[in-house]
Amino acid sequence: MKEPGYFKTIYLSVRSLLKGMKMTGYYFTHLKEIQTEQYPDNRATLVMADRFRGEVIMPHNDLNEHSCTGCQACEIACPNGTIKIITKQEILADGKKKKAIDQFVYHLDLCTMCNLCIVACPTDAIKMGHEFEHSVFDKSQLKKILNVKGSKVKAGVE
Amino acid sequence: MSLMGQDVLTEDGLFMVNIGPQHPSTHGVLHLKVWLDGETIVKIQPHLGYIHRSIEKMSENLSYRNFIFATSRMDYLSAHINNEACALTVEKGLGIQATPRAKVIRIIMAELTRLASHQLWWGCTGLDLGAVTPFFYAFRDREAINGIMEETCGARLTMNYMVPGGVMYDLHPNFQKHTKDVMASIKKNLADYDNLLTGNVIFEMRTKGVGVLSKEDAISFGCTGPTARASGVSCDIRKLFPYSGYENVQFDEILATGGDCYDRYMCRMAEMRQSVNIIEQLIDTIPEGDFQEKTKAVIKLPKGEFYQRVETARGELGVYIVSDGAASPYRVKYRSPGFSNLSALSQMAQGVKIGDLVAIMATIDLVIPDIDR
Amino acid sequence: MNKEELKIAITEILPEITFDETGEFLNVFVPATSLLPFMNSIRSNNNFEMDYLFCLTCIDWKDHFMMVYHLHSKKHRHEFVVKAKLENRENPEIESLSGIWKTADFHEREVFDLFGINFLHHPDLRRIFMDDNWKGFPLRKDYMDENMIEI
Amino acid sequence: MKTIFLISLSSLARHIHIWLEELIGNPNGVYITEMTIVGISLIVFLVVLCFFLGYAERKVAAFMQIRLGPNRVGPKGSLQIIADTVKLLFKEGLTPTAADKFLFHLAPLIMVITAMLALAPIAFAKDFQIFDISIGVLYVASVSSMAVIGILMAGWSSYNKYSLLGAMRSGAQIVSYELSVGLSLISIVILTGSLRMSDIVMSQSDGWWLFKGHIPILISFVIFIIASTAEINRAPFDLTEAESELTGGFHTEYSGMKFAMFLLSEYINLFIVSAIAATLFLGGWMPLHFGHWEGFNHVMDYIPSSIWFLGKTFIIIFIIMWFRWTFPRLRVDQLLNLEWKYLLPISMVNILVVTLMAIMGWHF
């Protein structure tokens, strides 16, 4: 390929530069193309995707019941040791003993939001919440107990 | 006199500068010791390991379901493809295949990841060469892809969507519509990319004939991906060792012959168009059916060794699992593309200017966690 | 060449080689002492031309180390795995291949760093990931560290 | 030209002068007082100008990059720069232990002072000029090239290898581009026959040089814009800073107020270069006139001359900003190539043509 001559080089260079300037000039004059989202201002209207993985939560119903049986499947499934389940023995009405959760401890600081615990859960007791603003001043606040105090296992969940 | 209290020159009369670990254009914590003669680079010595997190050692203690998540953190721009490589290796060990639907989903997701990765690379290349504006145009399109990822996988960067046997859950109902919209806008915006950088005379001067890597060197250094394809090495794993149904897709392997920064750039630009092409072929014909093959709760691979290659946005990622029959791998080796590509840097940057070093680093598309693992 | 042809051709180069065909690749077990001449010949031999070393690693089998080289030929499109057993756990040594494949330079440094295998005649054998004064070799199975925690 | 406005900057200056003469009486006292007022108002003007330019640059950059830009502090983010200045004022000014302390502290001052000096002969409005020196163009050209001393000093004294590399680049760059800047200035001087700024402006009362000078002046205008962009180290010629190569170039080690001074000097230089381009090529404070359109010309005369001057200046500033947010950076050898292979030969030929034009009287 022949090298373009001196003046052609200048012409081609200037043309390519003007092409770029035309582009930036276009966006400078078309302000509707602006992509910025005003984050803390749009908090009220900000909708996260329904599958968004922000943190692990354990939904409770109106009767303060959850579906966690304390089977520890999530604890085994977690690659980082994020979940610790402390169980207790509950005595049922007919005198039988039954394993139930005492505390569902969730270390948010260790969690990588990989979703493996939710997939592993046989009773759909935990799911991913949409909260993503997790900054705290003290690391210990990131250790959360997911089951509400006094909550019980939903009837019929084994 | 400053800089004079001690002898700043080395014994050979060279000027040693540390580029990195904190430097705007090393894309992370790469440390290059550079010996300069004036502005000309005489010798380069990469120092790695600032972000070594021993993912290989960690994987030895994780089950076959769990170790996949960590690979998202290696090459975080190709997180999907990394996960896919692990899932494919486990599937190979189990002797199963993903369901047809999962295979197509995997290809679409992998190509979306490649597009997003190349877009970020394009923006960073502009940034490294001193043009700040491309970065924002690149992010405009990348955000749209990330939105799709978030909708279907639940995360924007470290998706962990692949599991042995398929994908974690089915596609989001809006997936097809959104993907088509995004593809249409990306095709339109690729013209912007060309106007802003590709044809620009300053950009061409900065990249043409800079950092030439010969074909023999590219093979010898184990370079893969666009870095090697720009030198004329045919190394697209999607073509050579098709996995996950790439054999049924029409696309071209992009090859160039120059091996300089400009060719590497053009390879990636063409690859973006190929990825759009692949996605458009598949998006309307995703087969119905299960998204995941049934696997046992505890996966145990038989005794043996399993090696799986995939083509990430940067090149060939190999996952080498040695199993002793237990529930977690005995040894995992990730053959990361960036590690080999980086080793060719010192060859490419021989005798170039500092500005060229930045251009070379930009066009071999370094992702440091991928190199350090 | 397919696996059978490869086996015959490789045996011609070095008769004392043993094979293992259970996996995906043809595994070729080479004595550590004759690794370098063997590799040299398969790199330059026109029938092989194994010009692409795509993976180089090591496995710690507790009583010995196994060096693993995945090789591919860009021209002939055949590939096989070369393995070399290192019995000496205290001071494992093997010849460096960085003169044959340039990629071996970095990969051998990685193996040296994480397994402590001494590559003879390597141009620049230093730790690559870990700190220069790190003690021990982390990917060995018997590696212990006070910072390691049980999850 | 008729003076239409009673309240114009020149009449304001004249009234202050008369008032001071009545108040003080002694001519020397009046002179000193006037100089003090000029100095203070100049500094205030420059600070306000830099706030404005800083804000404008950010907004221009943002809109070109499909962003919003500053929008938190003050209405539409207009006070963002003031907030940044306050932050920089309170920031600790670090000095490297091994730095040459004296030169390290001196360098930013030299940068700012040389930048300010070059403002003296610029005509801001009709009859409104600090110092109408007879060698105005020469003065500006020589003073503005002194900025390189500040950059070299900063790079040398910082005890930082990046700084040193940046400073050395700057030396090569300014020495080369000074030639093109000088030659394109001379092309106007040839046509005007005077180095005095006011004469140059007056010579354009019947049309700006850019229009009546035909293509040769257009070429020298383009060369002037390119070369002066290089001379004030702005992208795509910002090799002295080159943040992707040399992290911060010559000002890597500066922080706090000393860093702000480099920023200040950059914007003052940007203003000066644009002001000179506006004065020499676009007629300074002269309104836009078209041959026989009496009505149009009359309307144009109603716009104050200072608005004309600042308007033209800001258009050129915008173009230079536009360059910055569009182009990649050149490499150091390509930078010198551009000067010695393209700009300099073209401007030399151009000078010949302009001289011929001046002799033959081919311009309007």
Side-chain angles (χ1 to χ4, degrees), chain D residues 12 33 41 75 88 106 120 141 159 163 194 206 218 240 247 268 270 358:
Chain D
L12 187 72
T33 322
S41 50
L88 281 174
L106 187 64
Y159 199 78
S163 304
S194 168
D206 56 342
L218 194 68
T240 47
T247 60
I268 299 173
L270 176 61

Side-chain angles (χ1 to χ4, degrees), chain D residues 91-220:
Chain D
K91 202 173 166 182
E92 186 188 357
L94 285 170
T95 311
T97 356
D100 187 326
K101 303 273 183 325
F102 177 68
L103 291 181
F104 188 77
H105 297 309
L106 187 64
L109 288 175
I110 286 189
M111 290 285 284
V112 175
I113 290 168
T114 49
M116 284 184 176
L117 278 175
L119 271 173
I122 288 169
F124 285 89
K126 188 171 158 39
D127 300 334
F128 189 77
Q129 212 167 345
I130 297 167
F131 185 28
D132 193 7
I133 187 171
S134 61
I135 50 159
V137 175
L138 184 63
Y139 172 84
V140 169
S142 50
V143 165
S144 62
S145 62
M146 262 166 61
V148 70
I149 296 172
I151 294 179
L152 280 174
M153 219 180 244
W156 184 255
S157 62
S158 294
Y159 199 78
N160 182 317
K161 290 170 181 174
Y162 290 127
S163 304
L164 189 63
L165 279 171
M168 291 305 152
R169 284 179 175 191
S170 157
Q173 186 176 335
I174 291 190
V175 165
S176 332
Y177 278 83
E178 196 62 35
L179 292 166
S180 294
V181 171
L183 285 179
S184 41
L185 290 179
I186 283 173
S187 65
I188 293 294
V189 173
I190 288 171
L191 289 175
T192 318
S194 168
L195 286 164
R196 193 187 287 268
M197 284 285 188
S198 54
D199 290 349
I200 292 174
V201 176
M202 287 317 291
S203 71
Q204 302 179 66
S205 56
D206 56 342
W208 304 349
W209 279 124
L210 193 62
F211 298 139
K212 62 178 185 176
H214 303 296
I215 290 168
I217 293 299
L218 194 68
I219 291 172
S220 60

